[in-house]
Amino acid sequence: MVVIDPVARRTDGESVRIAKDVLGAGARTRISLPESAEEFARALSRRGRRRLVVIGDDRALLRAVGLLHRERELSGGRPVGLVPVGDRVVLARSLGVPTETVAAARAVLEGASRRLDLLVDDSDGVVLGGLRVPALSPSGPGAASGSPPSVWTACRSLVRTLVRPTPPERLVTYRLRVEADGVLLSDLDEAVRGVSLRSRGGGTVEVEVAGTSGASARARTVTVSGPDFRYRADGAVGGPVRRRTWTVREGGWRLVVPVGSAGPVEPLEPLDPVGSVDPGGPGGPVDPDVPVVRGP
C-alpha cells in the first residue's frame, strides 16, 4: 500500500512520479492519494495485510508512525517503507533511509527491516529521533529559514554588521526539573539552558542537561517539569505543558533500510510480483472517499 502525502505531490510532483514508476515496476502496488490528514488516517486503517510505503517528508513519516502507534499496530506489524520527498528529510537521513528518490524506492523493494526504539510520551505522542526542551524560537540561534535569503536581505545584513557590531547573544536560562529513571538530574532551583534527549538504541535514551551541573545519563524514562514550556521533537513543536514524561519502547517499530546498512537488520517478506491479484485482506474494500490508483 503506497500512500502519497499531498504535500509531496504539490511540492515535487516529478519525484513522486519517479517513485511511483520504480515501485510499480518492481511489485504490485496499490496507491492511495489522500488530500487531508483525515483521509491519510483512513488510508492507513484500511491497508489490510499490505506493507505500508509512505512517499513524503519527515512529517508524513511521523504522521504515519503516530497513527500506527495509536492503533497499536507498530511493534508486531509490518515494517514501514519511506521514499523521502519534500524539503524536510533530516530525520529520514538520520534513520538510514536514502534521500535520493530512486535509491529510496529500490530500498523499499529490495531492502531489509531494522528494529528501532520508539520514544512515547504520556499523551501518546511519538518521537523517532530526538527532542529538546524548551523548543528554540524559529528566530533564535541556529534556526533554519524556510527559504534562502534574498540578495537585498544579504546586503542589508552586511551593512548592519559593518555599521554597528553585533551585540553578544543574551544567555537565556530556564527552571526545569529533570528526572531520569527516578534519579534527579536537575531541580527548579538550578538555571539550565535546555535538556536534550536522543535515542541510542538498546532501549535507552541519552539525556543531557545544559547548565552548571552538566548532568547526563542514559535512561528508559525521562520526566521534565516546570513552568509552562514547549519542546521540539523531530522538528515539530509541542506544548506548552508543565510536565511531560517520555518512555522508551525498545524495538517499538520497524523501518525498511537498504541492504548492507550498518547495524542489525532482518530480511523482508517478498512483495507480490507485478501482475498478481490483490487479495485485499482484512482492510476490506477501498474507502470511496480516498482516491486509489492500482499499479500495473
Side-chain angles (χ1 to χ4, degrees):
M1 181 73 164
V2 180
V3 179
I4 304 177
D5 184 65
V7 176
R9 300 203 304 269
R10 291 194 296 267
T11 58
D12 193 350
E14 179 63 14
S15 293
V16 169
R17 184 192 63 78
I18 293 172
K20 287 169 55 182
D21 289 348
V22 174
L23 294 173
R28 176 180 50 76
T29 57
R30 192 172 189 175
I31 299 172
S32 179
L33 307 172
E35 293 292 346
S36 65
E38 292 75 17
E39 289 187 1
F40 192 98
R42 282 203 299 273
L44 262 62
S45 68
R46 303 185 69 85
R47 72 193 178 283
R49 294 190 299 268
R50 306 174 190 92
R51 186 195 302 171
L52 173 65
V53 178
V54 177
I55 299 179
D57 62 5
D58 292 345
R59 291 165 292 191
L61 175 64
L62 286 166
R63 187 182 306 120
V65 174
L67 288 167
L68 293 175
H69 164 69
R70 286 186 283 276
E71 292 177 5
R72 301 300 183 256
E73 294 189 14
L74 265 183
S75 58
R78 293 193 172 197
V80 178
L82 174 68
V83 180
V85 174
D87 58 351
R88 296 188 184 182
V89 296
V90 175
L91 175 62
R93 184 184 297 111
S94 71
L95 294 174
V97 177
T99 54
E100 197 274 323
T101 303
V102 174
R106 286 178 176 167
V108 168
L109 296 171
E110 306 164 357
S113 170
R114 170 179 290 162
R115 284 199 173 272
L116 298 170
D117 289 352
L118 186 70
L119 196 58
V120 180
D121 67 37
D122 47 12
S123 69
D124 228 15
V126 299
V127 182
L128 307 183
L131 66 90
R132 186 186 188 280
V133 184
L136 292 174
S137 167
S139 60
S145 172
S147 58
S150 66
V151 174
W152 291 113
T153 301
C155 290
R156 285 196 298 269
S157 177
L158 177 61
V159 169
R160 283 196 299 268
T161 302
L162 294 175
V163 171
R164 67 170 184 270
T166 303
E169 292 183 0
R170 183 172 61 91
L171 183 63
V172 180
T173 58
Y174 307 87
R175 303 288 176 173
L176 298 170
R177 178 182 176 90
V178 184
E179 300 169 81
D181 286 343
V183 177
L184 186 64
L185 300 183
S186 176
D187 211 342
L188 296 174
D189 59 355
E190 179 183 349
V192 302
R193 296 190 299 277
V195 182
S196 63
L197 279 69
R198 180 159 292 278
S199 175
R200 294 304 182 191
T204 63
V205 291
E206 185 176 4
V207 190
E208 293 185 353
V209 180
T212 54
S213 67
S216 63
R218 287 202 173 197
R220 293 184 178 274
T221 301
V222 179
T223 299
V224 179
S225 56
D228 289 351
F229 63 87
R230 298 182 183 272
Y231 55 92
R232 184 179 296 274
D234 293 332
V237 176
V241 294
R242 294 187 177 182
R243 180 184 177 91
R244 182 110 294 167
T245 296
W246 291 272
T247 303
V248 182
R249 297 192 179 177
E250 185 174 1
W253 70 297
R254 294 191 294 161
L255 178 69
V256 179
V257 296
V259 172
S261 299
V265 295
E266 305 167 0
L268 286 173
E269 296 179 9
L271 292 169
D272 296 326
V274 176
S276 60
V277 177
D278 187 351
V286 178
D287 190 327
D289 294 333
V290 181
V292 170
V293 178
R294 293 183 183 274

